[in-house]
């Protein structure tokens, strides 16, 4: 496994643009190491655990996940005997209430994905915090903060203050259209308006180093780029909603406008979900 050290005793296992592969973090202190996200399924998580054990060199292991989606959390069972798994209450609720449905949905996305998800058990966290938690790794603290509803109901920011690093999960991506899990009636928790509000607060904090859920590590400009995109889709969608245009026409026009603006971005399939979600939020 190739790792990139972005600060002292703080490494990222980068996704290198691979679909459904997240950036995974390891944050070390004197006494313990925190792993951020697992990869999809037990086989991927076993590789992450092996790397983490080697990196920890006898230090205690903790695990957290930025949100409950399969490529981020559905390998947590592998860590069960090796690490303490902690998340916010909203994410724990997502795992309990939506985990099984997402497992079946992802298994239907293709043979390769179904293979990665063989043997998955929906994880149950060992420690659940209400809204924020400070984890002392020994000479280094990590702050975990629930954002409230945005990309999902249980999104979590993981901040390393002494290194100026924040792990955003899928609240921020690099080089692709925002992932919008808008799947009515099964899941309508994603909120573009709330997502923008979360990113506005994060922009004000100006973290020097941003580790996105997928894509290259960068600076605070990554947050601004996603925030501006979400605001543009909102404005273009709501302008058409206010003009009483039919939703299929809105989808077609806004999709074309976004692709013309960002022809190099991956994930065009998420644009329609984004527009549909904003249509549902219009006028609320």
């Amino acid at each position: 496994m190739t790792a990139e050290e972005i600060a002292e005793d703080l490494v990222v296992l980068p996704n290198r643009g691979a679909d459904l592969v997240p950036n995974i973090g390891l944050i070390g202190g004197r006494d313990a190491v925190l792993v951020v996200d697992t990869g999809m399924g037990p086989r991927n998580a076993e590789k992450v655990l092996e790397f983490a054990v080697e990196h920890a060199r006898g230090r205690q292991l903790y695990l957290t996940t930025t949100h409950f989606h399969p490529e981020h959390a559905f390998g947590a069972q592998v860590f069960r005997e090796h690490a303490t798994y902690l998340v916010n209450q909203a994410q724990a609720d997502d795992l309990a209430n939506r985990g099984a449905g997402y497992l079946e949905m992802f298994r239907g996305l293709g043979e390769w994905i179904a293979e990665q998800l063989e043997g998955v058990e929906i994880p149950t966290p060992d420690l659940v915090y209400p809204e924020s938690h400070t984890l002392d790794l020994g000479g280094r603290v990590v702050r975990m903060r629930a954002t409230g509803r945005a990309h999902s109901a249980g999104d979590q920011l993981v901040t390393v203050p002494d290194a100026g690093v924040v792990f955003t999960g899928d609240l921020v991506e690099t080089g692709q259209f925002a992932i919008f899990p808008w799947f009515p009636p099964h899941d309508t928790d994603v909120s573009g308006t709330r997502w923008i509000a979360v990113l506005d607060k994060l922009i004000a904090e100006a973290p020097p180093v941003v580790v996105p859920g997928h894509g290259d590590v960068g600076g605070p400009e990554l947050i601004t780029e996603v925030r501006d995109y979400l605001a543009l889709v909102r404005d273009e969608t709501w302008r058409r909603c206010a003009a009483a245009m039919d939703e299929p026409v809105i989808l077609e026009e806004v999709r074309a406008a976004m692709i013309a603006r960002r022809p190099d971005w991956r994930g065009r399939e998420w644009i329609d979900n984004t527009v549909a979600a904003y249509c549902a939020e219009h006028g609320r």
Side-chain angles (χ1 to χ4, degrees):
M1 237 177 214
T2 303
E4 296 179 359
E5 187 170 29
I6 60 173
E8 184 179 355
D9 206 2
L10 202 169
V11 301
V12 172
L13 305 177
N15 80 322
R16 302 197 182 283
D19 290 337
L20 293 175
V21 176
N23 290 315
I24 292 171
L26 288 92
I27 306 162
R30 181 184 61 252
D31 305 319
V33 171
L34 173 67
V35 180
V36 182
D37 287 342
T38 70
M40 186 184 294
R43 284 187 289 180
N44 288 307
E46 284 168 2
K47 297 175 184 177
V48 175
L49 175 60
E50 181 180 1
F51 183 92
V53 168
E54 182 179 348
H55 182 82
R57 299 185 183 278
R59 289 175 288 180
Q60 183 178 359
L61 284 179
Y62 290 91
L63 170 69
T64 194
T65 45
T66 54
H67 58 297
F68 84 102
H69 291 158
E71 76 272 30
H72 296 267
F74 281 20
Q77 71 198 66
V78 170
F79 287 77
R80 188 176 296 138
E81 303 300 324
H82 306 274
T84 300
Y85 180 31
L86 63 160
V87 299
N88 63 76
Q89 183 65 61
Q91 187 179 158
D93 293 342
D94 278 341
L95 285 165
N97 300 328
R98 300 197 184 281
Y102 263 73
L103 178 58
E104 290 308 307
M105 178 174 65
F106 268 64
R107 281 173 171 162
L109 295 178
E111 184 177 346
W112 176 84
I113 298 171
E115 289 176 356
Q116 302 308 310
L117 293 173
E118 282 183 7
V120 164
E121 301 169 12
I122 304 302
T124 300
D126 301 302
L127 190 158
V128 176
Y129 68 85
E131 295 182 357
S132 63
H133 182 78
T134 298
L135 180 64
D136 188 350
L137 300 176
R140 165 174 275 168
V141 298
V142 178
R143 292 175 183 154
M144 287 168 266
R145 181 170 85 242
T147 67
R149 181 181 170 214
H151 170 76
S152 71
D155 294 317
Q156 172 181 253
L157 294 170
V158 180
T159 304
V160 189
D162 74 333
V165 174
V166 62
F167 290 82
T168 66
D170 286 355
L171 292 167
V172 177
E173 317 286 7
T174 308
Q176 73 171 76
F177 295 100
I179 298 171
F180 249 72
W182 176 257
F183 304 121
H186 308 292
D187 191 353
T188 57
D189 281 343
V190 61
S191 168
T193 54
R194 282 283 305 124
W195 195 336
I196 289 171
V198 168
L199 294 182
D200 280 339
K201 291 180 181 178
L202 193 53
I203 288 168
E205 295 172 11
V209 182
V210 176
V211 183
H214 304 265
D216 295 340
V217 175
E221 73 281 354
L222 300 185
I223 308 168
T224 302
E225 188 172 59
V226 176
R227 190 265 176 214
D228 290 349
Y229 163 71
L230 293 177
L232 180 62
V233 180
R234 177 199 61 194
D235 293 347
E236 292 295 324
T237 300
W238 285 4
R239 180 167 61 82
R240 290 167 172 81
C241 288
M245 295 175 66
D246 292 335
E247 187 167 322
V249 177
I250 297 174
L251 291 172
E252 181 178 355
E253 290 190 1
V254 178
R255 182 195 316 119
M258 295 306 108
I259 292 172
R261 189 177 184 88
R262 290 291 189 178
D264 56 323
W265 276 11
R266 304 182 305 276
R268 294 180 179 184
E269 66 274 12
W270 293 110
I271 300 173
D272 283 8
N273 294 52
T274 310
V275 175
Y278 274 126
C279 284
E281 288 192 277
H282 180 256
R284 287 185 182 176

